[in-house]
Amino acid sequence: MALFSSSTQIIPETHPMPRHVAAIMDGNGRWAKKRFLPRVAGHSRGVETVREIVRACLERGIEYLTLFAFSSENWRRPQEEVSLLMQLFVKALEQEVTKLDKNGVRLCVVGDLSLFEPRLRALVAEAQAKTATNSRLTLTIAANYGGRWDILQAMNRLSVAHPEKSGHWNEEDLAPFLSMHYAPEPDLFIRTGGEARISNFLLWQLAYTEFHFTDTLWPEFDAAALDQAIASYRRRERRFGRTSEQLLEDPHPSISSGVAEVVAGVHPDA
């Protein structure tokens, strides 16, 4: 069974601090190019940013952080860059998992891992097993992931598991087979680097997510930039199909219903 319900099926309770933040880490290559460095230098610097944002999420009480590290379309990049990205992924797993574990971070990797080398797949399996019982923050890395792939693989698995319901499946049937069935839908989606699209990321899960696009390149995205994104989120009116007037009667006030307290130093008018 899925742990969390769909925002198209129920009205979720909302809070001033997003429970789940998802991000596309865009701009590593451009950051490096501006400094006359190879693109891999930007990706390496991007790993440092991941460390900072994980730390910031822990400090702010964010429960889920999902990062788009490598899309199913990124195989189209130059082979040398893809190879370096895979090496960087291996290095990060070797160096970071123990630190994540000590800080109570659960690591999950979603995507079609079958195309990765055995060493990388083994490290992923070890990291997920080692951190499986941690609960302070669930850090999900989407690698060789695509939103369409996710929906299709879920449908294929559902059709095998419940062929008797063919033609009558519903969202509750599909939900347990989605890659991120263990997490609530993202409250806040961030894309750095100046692009304003979701690039086949979490197509199912982003149905009612609030979007924040920023020109800041990922290697320059820090805790202050995260706070700006959260401040933008807090100004949103999350209606989930309702009218503004109905929000006034909601027994679970949304983030835009007058909540004025400061959370982790983020003011709604910042």
Side-chain angles (χ1 to χ4, degrees), residues 77-96:
R77 292 190 176 188
Q79 182 57 43
E80 181 181 6
E81 181 174 348
V82 171
S83 178
L84 290 170
L85 284 171
M86 295 301 108
Q87 293 174 32
L88 189 60
F89 196 6
V90 167
K91 182 179 178 181
L93 287 168
E94 291 174 337
Q95 297 182 350
E96 304 296 329

Side-chain angles (χ1 to χ4, degrees), residues 250-267:
D250 192 336
H252 303 294
S254 72
I255 59 174
S256 59
S257 61
V259 176
E261 69 271 22
V262 176
V263 180
V266 180
H267 191 279

